[in-house]
Amino acid sequence: MRKLFGALVVVLGLASAQFSVENLKPSLALVGGTQGLGAELSWHCLLFQPPVGEVRPALDVAYTVSGSWNGAFLFRYLYPLAEGLKAGVGLGAVFPGFSGAQFYFRADAEYDLKAALGVPLFLGGDVGLAGGTLAAQMKLGYRF
């Protein structure tokens, strides 16, 4: 049942997103936190924009140097706090080790370094609760 729920969430989210080459935003980040050091590959696109902020479905795939894989799909609401700084929350499903879906809640913040450095880098951090397990990480990434 959990696998079916996870697959349904992913399919509905991707089907409802406003896909176009310009709208799909892949990123690659170095991450470190409670699950160890590693790398994260992520894709997100704009679903819709309320009067303030934006709602984006996101698909994250992470690998840690200890050899573990994780995946997550969630809907994120991001609120602009200052120039280049956004904070938000997300709800979705996480797939620890790609072996079954669990409910996922995440709060995160992201600072776009493009204005300061001239390259599409970002610095971010998030705290999440997945299946009763608390996880936190910091990330430095490049947005393609």
Side-chain angles (χ1 to χ4, degrees):
M1 185 65 173
R2 288 183 180 184
K3 289 181 182 180
L4 179 62
F5 170 71
L8 184 63
V9 167
V10 170
V11 169
L12 288 175
L14 293 176
S16 62
Q18 301 172 11
F19 281 112
S20 71
V21 174
E22 303 85 37
N23 199 13
L24 190 60
K25 303 290 186 191
S27 64
L28 181 63
L30 297 173
V31 296
T34 58
Q35 297 176 347
L37 297 174
E40 178 182 84
L41 186 58
S42 180
W43 295 269
H44 64 89
C45 61
L46 183 64
L47 183 59
F48 66 90
Q49 281 187 289
V52 177
E54 57 195 30
V55 176
R56 294 182 173 271
L59 177 64
D60 300 335
V61 177
Y63 178 76
T64 62
V65 293
S66 64
S68 65
W69 286 91
N70 292 307
F73 179 79
L74 65 152
F75 290 95
R76 295 171 63 198
Y77 171 73
L78 296 170
Y79 184 83
L81 296 175
E83 183 70 32
L85 179 62
K86 295 179 183 177
V89 295
L91 292 174
V94 68
F95 307 92
F98 296 108
S99 63
Q102 298 175 349
F103 178 74
Y104 186 40
F105 171 77
R106 183 171 88 182
D108 57 332
E110 187 175 289
Y111 184 67
D112 188 5
L113 298 169
K114 188 173 184 177
L117 301 176
V119 291
L121 292 175
F122 66 92
L123 181 63
D126 56 63
V127 175
L129 183 63
T133 304
L134 187 65
Q137 67 182 6
M138 295 292 295
K139 59 178 87 174
L140 175 63
Y142 182 85
R143 188 155 289 123
F144 298 96

